Amino acid sequence: MADVKELRCVIGDCRFAVDEVSYTCPVHGEVATLDILYDYPALRAKLDRDAISASGLSNSWRYRALMPLSPESKVPPLAVGWTPLYETPRIAKNLGLRRVWVKDDGANPTGSLKDRASALVLARALEKGFKTVSAASTGNAAAALAGLGASLPEVEIVIFVPASAPPAKIAQLLVYGAEVLLVEGSYDDAFDLCLQTCAAQGWYSRNTGVNPFTTEGKKTVALEIAEQLNWLAPDVVAVSVGDGSIISGVHKGFRDLLALGWIDRMPRLLGVQAAGSAVLAKACERGIAAPDIGRQRVSTIADSIASELPRDRAKALRAVRDTGGRFVTVADAAIQAAIPEFAQLSGVFAEPAAAAAYAGVKQAAKAGIIHGDESVCIVSTGNGLKDVARASDSVRGGIRVAPNRAAVESALRSAGRL
Ligand SMILES: *Cc1c(COP(=O)(O)O)cnc(C)c1O
Ligand SMILES: [Zn+2]
C-alpha cells in the first residue's frame, strides 16, 4: 500500500490510517464516508501516464499504481474496465452539442459499472483474508460481487436484495452461485440488514459508499475516459445517480488526475436522478447539507437509481458542487423513451438507469445547462439486457408474417421497405 497517505472524512477534518478504519468515519457516523488519499507528490515523481498507455493491459488494473493495493496482491481474473468510449456524432448533432461520447460500461463482465468496485473490494478482501463478502443491492452491485466472487475460489458471497428486483438480476445472482437473501422490503431495508449482519458475523461489507474501496474502484471509469481522450477531460461528464457512489468515484478519478498533473482541468459533473427518486437533486436545490438529509419514499422504473437515503450523499453533493456541476431530474416517461432513442443513435443498449443519463443530457442541453460549444461524455452505466421487461415496454413493432416469401414481401411493402 505504498503510496496511500490516509483516509479522510468527507464531513469533518478527521484522518485515519488505511488499516485503522474499514468503513465510515467513527466520529461523524454513517453519512461520513471516507476518501482514500495518496501521496501525490511521490506518485507524481514516480508515475508516467505514457507508461500506463504503453502497458497494454486492457482492464482497470492498468491503473493499479493509483489503487490502494499492495503490488503483490491477487486480483480477480475477470476483465473489468477498459470499456469502449464511442464518439456519437448523431447525438451531438441532435442535441446541438459540439462533441458527445458514450462510455459503454455495460460492456463489463457482469454488465454494469459496479464491476469496477467489486473487483477492487474483492482484491482487498483477499489481502485481508476475509472468507465471506456481502452486499446489499438493487441488483447490479450484487451481480458484480457474485460474478467476480465466482471467479475466486477463496471467497463466499452473500447478497441481500429487495425481493422486488428485476427477475433477470436475481437470476444472475443465483447463476453465479451466491447465497441470496430476498428481502421483503426496500433496497434501504436490505442495506441496513446487510450492514448489521456483516458486523455481527465478521464478514467484509462491499456496501456502496460505506466501503471506501468502492469509490476507488469506480474512479477508474474517469481515468479511462481521460486516457481514451488523450488526457483531455470533456467539459461535462453525465452520470445517473442513486446512492451517489458512481458520481463520487468519477469525481475522485478526475481529482486524482488533476493532482497528478495528468489533466489540466476538471469537467463539470451532471448528476441525473429520476424525478421519482431525487433526494440529492432536491437537497442540492434547497441547500440542504448531507447530514440533514432524511430518508424519503421513492419510486421509479429505473431500479438502479432508486435510493431513499443515498449512501454516498456527502461525496455526491460535493462532486456536483466542487465541479460547478448540476443535478437534473428526468421523469420515468423520458427515461423509457430514452432507451430506444439512445440505442438507435449510439448502438448502445442501456438499462433504464443508464439511459437516464442520456435523457438528462438531452434535458440539460435544452435548458442551456450544457452549451452548444461544449463536449459531453455520457456514462452508460448498465447493459440493457439487465432489464428486458422495461426495454420491451419502450418499443413497439415486429411484423408477424406467414412463413412464405409472398407474405414477407407484402409485409415489407406495408412497412414502406419495398
Ligand atoms: C448503481 C447504478 C447507478 C447509480 O450509481 P450510484 O452509485 O447508486 O449513484 C446507475 N446506473 C446503474 C446501471 C447502476 O447499476
Ligand atoms: Zn469524521
Side-chain angles (χ1 to χ4, degrees):
M1 199 86 61
D3 298 297
V4 175
K5 190 167 156 227
E6 63 193 13
L7 299 175
R8 188 158 330 150
C9 170
V10 64
I11 298 292
D13 193 33
C14 324
R15 291 151 199 248
F16 310 93
V18 72
D19 285 318
E20 196 180 343
V21 176
S22 299
Y23 304 118
T24 50
C25 173
V27 180
H28 292 96
E30 223 180 88
V31 63
T33 50
L34 300 173
D35 281 316
I36 300 182
L37 298 180
Y38 299 81
D39 179 348
Y40 293 100
L43 285 178
R44 213 172 163 141
K46 191 164 70 179
L47 298 180
D48 171 9
R49 66 186 196 186
D50 298 330
I52 287 181
S53 300
S55 75
L57 260 188
S58 49
N59 57 54
S60 63
W61 304 113
R62 66 199 281 116
Y63 307 110
R64 192 165 169 147
L66 299 174
M67 291 207 245
L69 279 186
S70 303
E72 64 279 2
S73 297
K74 178 175 173 179
V75 300
L78 296 186
V80 172
W82 203 241
T83 53
L85 183 80
Y86 301 116
E87 181 153 18
T88 53
R90 279 181 293 157
I91 294 181
K93 183 161 177 282
N94 285 7
L95 303 189
L97 299 172
R98 189 165 60 82
R99 296 183 81 175
V100 175
W101 297 273
V102 172
K103 178 69 168 163
D104 182 15
D105 250 45
N108 275 301
T110 78
S112 85
L113 186 147
K114 300 292 198 297
D115 284 347
R116 298 177 183 275
S118 290
L120 183 60
V121 167
L122 282 166
R124 172 72 172 171
L126 294 179
E127 237 178 30
K128 292 281 148 193
F130 283 100
K131 298 272 177 289
T132 303
V133 184
S134 181
S137 167
T138 57
N140 288 341
L145 186 61
L148 286 150
S151 78
L152 295 167
E154 297 91 336
V155 289
E156 307 256 302
I157 306 298
V158 181
I159 301 298
F160 293 73
V161 71
S164 59
K169 292 189 176 182
I170 294 173
Q172 202 179 4
L173 303 174
L174 295 170
V175 164
Y176 285 130
E179 192 69 65
V180 179
L181 298 166
L182 300 165
V183 177
E184 292 170 345
S186 68
Y187 163 56
D188 296 77
D189 295 328
F191 197 99
D192 290 339
L193 280 170
C194 177
L195 281 186
Q196 290 157 17
T197 311
C198 284
Q201 302 298 323
W203 298 345
Y204 194 44
S205 157
R206 178 240 178 266
N207 281 319
T208 289
V210 170
N211 184 323
F213 283 74
T214 56
T215 317
E216 284 304 291
K218 289 169 184 169
K219 83 176 180 187
T220 58
V221 74
L223 306 182
E224 290 176 15
I225 291 167
E227 185 180 349
Q228 288 168 321
L229 294 176
N230 250 321
W231 306 107
L232 278 178
D235 293 309
V236 174
V237 176
V239 194
S240 58
V241 175
D243 272 327
S245 176
I246 294 180
I247 198 168
S248 307
V250 168
H251 184 213
K252 178 59 160 54
F254 285 117
R255 276 165 65 207
D256 280 2
L257 292 175
L258 207 56
L260 288 167
W262 293 6
I263 56 171
D264 52 21
R265 66 184 177 124
M266 186 62 101
R268 305 202 308 280
L269 299 186
L270 182 76
V272 182
Q273 292 214 279
S277 177
V279 176
L280 289 168
K282 283 188 232 160
C284 190
E285 186 183 296
R286 296 174 192 163
I288 297 169
D292 303 325
I293 295 177
R295 187 183 280 217
Q296 294 164 32
R297 290 188 78 91
V298 300
S299 162
T300 170
I301 60 163
D303 63 291
S304 297
I305 49 172
S307 177
E308 298 176 347
L309 180 63
R311 301 293 162 166
D312 237 337
R313 50 201 180 276
K315 282 187 193 171
L317 289 175
R318 180 184 65 181
V320 168
R321 187 190 62 223
D322 287 7
T323 63
R326 283 283 287 265
F327 278 103
V328 293
T329 59
V330 287
D332 276 0
I335 295 175
Q336 182 140 316
I339 297 172
E341 191 174 311
F342 181 59
Q344 288 163 29
L345 291 170
S346 68
V348 175
F349 182 17
E351 72 162 87
Y358 165 75
V361 166
K362 191 171 167 180
Q363 190 172 304
K366 213 174 269 171
I369 294 167
I370 311 175
H371 308 285
D373 58 352
E374 292 191 303
S375 61
V376 183
C377 179
I378 300 170
V379 183
S380 184
T381 43
N383 197 300
L385 293 172
K386 291 270 192 177
D387 193 351
V388 171
R390 292 295 179 193
S392 305
D393 291 344
S394 75
V395 283
R396 240 188 277 215
I399 310 169
R400 267 189 178 276
V401 288
N404 63 69
R405 277 200 54 207
V408 168
E409 279 177 18
S410 134
L412 287 174
R413 206 167 293 117
S414 350
R417 299 269 176 193
L418 284 183

